[in-house]
Amino acid sequence: MNGNMIIKNAAELVTCSGFAAKKGPQMAELNIINDGTVMIKDGIIEAVGKSREIDQQLKTAGTDQSDFEMVDARGKAVLPGFVDSHTHLVFGGYRAEEFSWRLRGDSYMQIMQRGGGIISTVEATRQASSEELLQSGIKRLNSMLSFGVTTVEGKSGYGLNCETEIKQLDVMARLDQVHYVDVVPTFLGAHAVPQDFKGKQDAFIDFLISDVLPRVTEQQLAEFCDIFCEKDVFSISQSRRLLSRAKDLGLKLKMHADEIIQLGGAELAAELGAVSADHLLQASDQGIKDMAAAGVVATLLPATAFSLKEPYAAARKMIDANCAVALATDFNPGSCFTESIPLVFALATLYMNMSTEEAITALTINGAAALDRADQIGSIDTGKKGDVVILEFPSYTYIPYHLAVSTVEKVIKQGNLVYDKEKGGIIHC
Ligand code: NIG
Ligand code: FE
């Protein structure tokens, strides 16, 4: 595994080329090279183009091709690795019973208000050892990798005290080291109000600001700070207070915004210069305008809306208003227990009026932009990480067409083959 690979003769090399979020009509541009080749050296993409041209370049440069693993992608489509920019992947316990309660008619917020929901995962996560969280995290990352995910964001928020928030973030740092998939950590200490602060949201925000946030930033355990800004959880002014402090301490911002009630979360994300605002099922027209103007990536999570039987976010309206839209799974033990990228593609295209091209942009370069990494990942461009997926089919159009089933045959992480369906799955070095 030396990070040197040449993937040649791809029927479609879907580059998604770009180094920043794609807004509005740009989202439909995939920059496809028919019969394309990509050359990765030391884990970084060094050349991209027509197979004939790259072959010529290599010959002229006298490159010794025996230093490279050669992959023939004849008859296959090749894309950038998917970026799942919103998940809650480190947690203890499960909540299968809640799914049954919701089938019976209970709502997500009703379950939360009677002490279930996030708070029950908090109990289980406080009790879990780091080792248990690490092992379950590895299994979940394996599953994500099989769907073609090469970078994932993960949130804390199942600790709600200093010790367990830090434990979750530490586990994410270890997962990033031990697993092929890159893990981007987000501090979500303001995910719910813990029992000991019941009815005292402001005091809890004070506690996060005085006790937890400084430790997270001193130990450099998170890149982002997020908050569940929602009626009966954290208000707009509480969100503004926590996020402003986090920004002062050098964290980038995300928000769970306007998910169930229209509170003005999208507007606040724009005001604070957040990198992304997520969920947005109830975002107002003004909020959409503000996000477009401020360059906030609107991160939509259709599998959550599907799982909660809520209306989908207005993706079409957002794209038409010139927003940059990203898609992610929101994988978590409550509202959306799925790491399925194919399900997200199915819902986005069939129920949110997104074209296949827009959905691919939303899961690649715009997912990267939602993590402020559009200069490093999310497209097949020279200088970026060699993170690539090879489909079993000749065209990207098979992704939503093969409904909710993965079309990914191989995954390449920084120039190394790490998943091969034909060889039984994950390749362990
Ligand atoms: O993004 N909405 C709040 N947080 C998560 C759900 C977390 C949970 O239910 O455990 C979400 O949907
Ligand atoms: Fe979430």
Side-chain angles (χ1 to χ4, degrees):
M1 285 209 166
N2 63 0
N4 291 351
M5 180 178 279
I6 297 173
I7 305 162
K8 56 181 186 175
N9 306 324
E12 279 180 359
L13 183 57
V14 182
T15 66
C16 301
S17 182
F19 291 84
K22 292 194 181 168
K23 288 178 148 202
Q26 294 172 343
M27 285 187 65
E29 292 162 16
L30 293 181
N31 298 297
I32 297 170
I33 301 169
N34 294 310
D35 191 3
T37 289
V38 51
M39 173 195 171
I40 304 167
K41 184 147 195 297
D42 299 324
I44 302 293
I45 298 172
E46 210 169 82
V48 186
K50 284 265 183 205
S51 296
R52 223 175 338 103
E53 288 162 16
I54 301 289
D55 211 41
Q56 198 52 52
Q57 270 178 36
L58 295 179
K59 280 192 186 123
T60 314
T63 307
D64 183 357
Q65 296 199 16
S66 65
D67 285 349
F68 291 78
E69 183 171 353
M70 304 298 280
V71 176
D72 191 355
R74 207 174 297 258
K76 320 230 149 150
V78 172
L79 293 91
F82 297 127
V83 180
D84 190 349
S85 64
H86 181 140
T87 85
H88 308 245
L89 84 126
V90 174
F91 56 84
Y94 290 95
R95 286 157 41 201
E97 69 288 354
E98 278 183 26
F99 191 84
S100 312
W101 296 340
R102 290 207 306 275
L103 295 182
R104 253 179 16 203
D106 294 356
S107 77
Y108 179 76
M109 290 308 278
Q110 277 165 351
I111 294 169
M112 184 165 176
Q113 271 145 17
R114 63 176 193 243
I118 294 170
I119 293 297
S120 72
T121 299
V122 168
E123 283 311 312
T125 307
R126 286 180 181 178
Q127 273 161 34
S129 68
S130 294
E131 194 50 34
E132 284 163 349
L133 294 176
L134 184 76
Q135 292 310 324
S136 56
I138 289 172
K139 282 194 185 156
R140 291 166 196 159
L141 289 176
N142 286 344
S143 168
M144 291 168 175
L145 181 63
S146 75
F147 290 120
V149 172
T150 47
T151 302
V152 68
E153 183 254 18
K155 301 174 196 293
S156 67
Y158 293 124
L160 311 183
N161 61 20
C162 207
E163 188 194 334
T164 311
E165 286 294 310
I166 302 250
K167 179 170 76 180
Q168 273 191 283
L169 291 167
D170 270 332
V171 167
M172 279 187 256
R174 283 175 65 196
L175 285 171
D176 183 51
Q177 281 168 4
V178 302
H179 203 279
Y180 296 129
V181 177
D182 289 330
V183 179
V184 180
T186 292
F187 171 59
L188 177 59
H191 192 196
V193 188
Q195 298 294 5
D196 44 336
F197 282 89
K198 213 167 177 212
K200 294 186 275 185
Q201 273 93 333
D202 272 311
F204 184 59
I205 296 286
D206 291 341
F207 161 74
L208 291 177
I209 289 176
S210 61
D211 288 40
V212 193
L213 201 49
R215 284 190 55 189
V216 169
T217 50
E218 267 157 34
Q219 296 180 39
Q220 299 188 335
L221 287 171
E223 284 182 35
F224 290 88
C225 182
D226 194 346
I227 186 164
F228 187 16
C229 176
E230 185 60 56
K231 182 171 179 286
D232 298 330
V233 192
F234 297 105
S235 67
I236 289 287
S237 67
Q238 287 157 350
S239 302
R240 185 184 284 110
R241 202 149 63 81
L242 177 70
L243 294 177
S244 304
R245 186 69 196 127
K247 193 175 175 180
D248 289 345
L249 291 174
L251 293 181
K252 292 174 267 195
L253 307 183
K254 290 184 168 289
M255 278 181 77
H256 281 66
D258 299 323
E259 179 182 358
I260 294 157
I261 303 282
Q262 189 178 102
L263 278 192
E267 288 87 333
L268 180 64
E271 173 194 318
L272 296 175
V275 175
S276 75
D278 302 36
H279 283 290
L280 301 169
L281 310 191
Q282 307 292 341
S284 71
D285 289 353
Q286 187 59 47
I288 292 174
K289 256 195 205 158
D290 291 358
M291 286 193 297
V296 177
V297 179
T299 301
L300 309 184
L301 312 166
T304 310
F306 175 67
S307 168
L308 296 181
K309 300 207 245 178
E310 296 279 347
Y312 294 95
R316 189 71 269 138
K317 202 187 217 181
M318 293 179 194
I319 297 171
D320 294 344
N322 214 32
C323 279
V325 167
L327 288 163
T329 60
D330 194 21
F331 173 75
N332 74 70
S335 62
C336 191
F337 186 46
T338 183
E339 53 279 80
S340 175
I341 297 293
L343 176 64
V344 172
F345 269 109
L347 298 173
T349 51
L350 289 169
Y351 290 107
M352 295 166 87
N353 289 319
M354 291 177 75
S355 67
T356 303
E357 293 77 12
E358 289 166 342
I360 288 174
T361 297
L363 274 154
T364 54
I365 186 69
N366 281 7
L371 297 181
D372 199 27
R373 292 192 180 193
D375 56 338
Q376 300 161 43
I377 53 172
S379 69
I380 301 182
D381 275 310
T382 304
K384 287 205 178 180
K385 281 191 187 179
D387 296 354
V388 170
V389 298
I390 303 178
L391 305 188
E392 346 174 43
F393 294 104
S395 168
Y396 71 88
T397 55
Y398 283 68
I399 296 177
Y401 164 55
H402 202 184
L403 258 188
V405 175
S406 183
T407 51
V408 171
E409 181 183 282
K410 289 184 174 62
V411 183
I412 287 95
K413 183 77 184 92
Q414 285 163 260
N416 296 314
L417 180 65
V418 294
Y419 171 86
D420 191 342
K421 197 173 183 176
E422 291 178 328
K423 290 190 183 143
I426 311 255
I427 294 164
H428 297 281
C429 49

